[in-house]
Amino acid sequence: RSAKAMGRRTVGVFSTVDSHSPHVQHADEAVCIGEALPAHSYLKIDAIIAAARATGADAVHPGYGFLAENAAFAEACRDAGLVFVGPSAEAIRAMGDKAGAKRLMQAAGVPCIPGYHGEDQGAGTLKREAERIGWPLMIKATAGGGGRGMRLVKEAQQFDALLQSAQSEALHAFGDATVILERAIAAPRHIEIQVMADRHGHAIHLGERDCSVQRRHQKIIEEAPSPAVSPELRQRMGDAALAAVRAIGYEGAGTLEFLLDGQGNFWFMEMNTRLQVEHPVTEAITGLDLVALQLRIAGGGPLLLRQEDVRVQGPAIEV
């Protein structure tokens, strides 16, 4: 819809089970790229590149799942002469590793939860670091997401078993058993800041979304603005998000995720280097088309928006 409003033709790719999906109906052209299993279709980089070449497409929008945060896909698009609608492969890699991202953010002055993000993954080292951090603490897979490879450890005697469990799940889910340790924040809110940055060094944030209502670390309700964020706190969190963006030379749409306690303290958790499925919440309260902004930035254009141009009106909720 956004592309058509900008006068651009679109090609939809689909698997055999998605031939009647809305995006296939609305695209100017559609190409089947494989069977139902994502590994045989939506995760096949060569099939997507081939579809782009066959239809004469000049850009690829990765959406918000599958290969959207895959640095190899971003590289493959650019190697094929296609514009990848998103950040550079280097930025995706920098923020895709939780431990490396924390180190980058600390260097940029962004608040981070006290913890251990080191490369030594020996059981003895992890146990000593856990005791230094104190209980309760979180074990998190560095390559993870969606709560996989994540465990809450409430007391010392639970640590060994939960560490093994987290590492095993991480290895199975992501092919990487590396973990980080973090102090557990009591009853936090989960706040994310939407950012947009162009290649000309200009970046803005579009306020926050509150995704604290979750089940098994999966978001259920997304609300904007957050009832827990004051204008002053919004500015502090927005400034931190923009410091993160500038530290890695980020381009395009992205989301910085923070944990917020009851005293107004917040800590960086991770960055999603893509558009999120929750982006319409921000669109509803700002009146901005985030996909149109993405396409403009990917085409080399400047943002044309200053921070003071961003106006938030009314609430929006997505379930």
Side-chain angles (χ1 to χ4, degrees):
R1 189 164 63 236
S2 297
K4 282 188 177 180
M6 298 173 77
R8 299 183 182 274
R9 288 175 55 79
T10 55
V11 178
V13 295
F14 63 97
S15 74
T16 49
V17 293
D18 290 330
S19 59
H20 298 293
S21 290
H23 79 281
V24 175
Q25 311 300 316
H26 289 285
D28 294 299
E29 290 183 67
V31 178
C32 182
I33 54 170
E35 299 299 319
L37 280 176
H40 299 159
S41 51
Y42 299 119
L43 293 173
K44 284 185 69 175
I45 292 175
D46 57 346
I48 296 170
I49 301 284
R53 282 184 164 145
T55 55
D58 57 11
V60 174
H61 191 300
Y64 38 65
F66 300 119
L67 296 170
E69 291 182 280
N70 187 301
F73 182 49
E75 277 180 338
C77 287
R78 288 183 175 147
D79 289 347
L82 297 160
V83 172
F84 179 78
V85 182
S88 67
E90 293 74 23
I92 294 172
R93 281 199 183 94
M95 300 310 282
D97 177 273
K98 283 187 171 69
K102 291 272 167 61
R103 291 191 289 267
L104 271 172
M105 293 302 97
Q106 286 172 330
V110 178
C112 293
I113 301 170
Y116 173 71
H117 314 121
E119 294 179 4
D120 185 346
Q121 292 287 300
T125 298
L126 291 170
K127 184 71 174 280
R128 283 192 301 275
E129 290 295 329
E131 288 167 348
R132 175 185 64 80
I133 296 163
W135 320 101
L137 65 75
M138 296 296 296
I139 302 169
K140 293 182 178 180
T142 63
R148 288 173 295 180
M150 184 187 295
R151 299 291 185 275
L152 171 63
V153 187
K154 295 180 180 177
E155 49 194 8
Q157 52 265 44
Q158 296 180 314
F159 182 77
D160 292 344
L162 289 175
L163 174 64
Q164 278 192 338
S165 172
Q167 289 174 324
S168 174
E169 186 174 50
L171 185 64
H172 180 73
F174 312 114
D176 185 351
T178 309
V179 298
I180 60 174
L181 308 176
E182 288 181 348
R183 179 185 299 162
I185 309 301
R189 278 187 178 265
H190 189 155
I191 305 292
E192 51 192 31
I193 304 287
Q194 175 73 58
V195 294
M196 278 282 175
D198 64 24
R199 68 185 61 173
H200 309 288
H202 184 46
I204 59 172
H205 72 83
L206 304 178
E208 81 283 356
R209 297 186 292 262
D210 191 321
C211 47
S212 304
V213 181
Q214 302 184 11
R215 179 174 182 269
R216 295 181 180 175
H217 307 292
Q218 295 288 344
K219 300 165 188 175
I220 295 175
I221 293 177
E222 194 89 16
E223 179 179 8
S226 168
V229 175
S230 66
E232 180 271 335
L233 179 56
R234 180 173 298 116
Q235 180 168 343
R236 284 198 291 129
M237 296 186 82
D239 287 346
L242 294 180
V245 164
R246 294 186 182 108
I248 59 170
Y250 193 81
E251 179 185 323
T255 301
L256 280 293
E257 301 202 10
F258 296 96
L259 290 181
L260 172 69
D261 72 10
Q263 287 72 53
N265 303 303
F266 62 90
W267 298 271
F268 169 80
M269 191 165 59
E270 64 182 358
M271 182 177 188
N272 294 300
T273 55
R274 54 175 168 81
L275 196 67
Q276 286 188 275
V277 71
E278 307 93 284
H279 77 276
V281 172
T282 296
E283 292 183 327
I285 65 168
T286 61
L288 297 170
D289 182 333
L290 271 60
V291 177
L293 291 177
Q294 281 189 297
L295 295 174
R296 178 177 179 79
I297 290 166
L303 254 173
L304 298 180
L305 275 172
R306 297 166 301 174
Q307 191 62 58
E308 54 266 34
D309 296 328
V310 179
R311 294 279 184 269
V312 171
Q313 288 188 302
I317 291 176
E318 179 177 327
V319 180

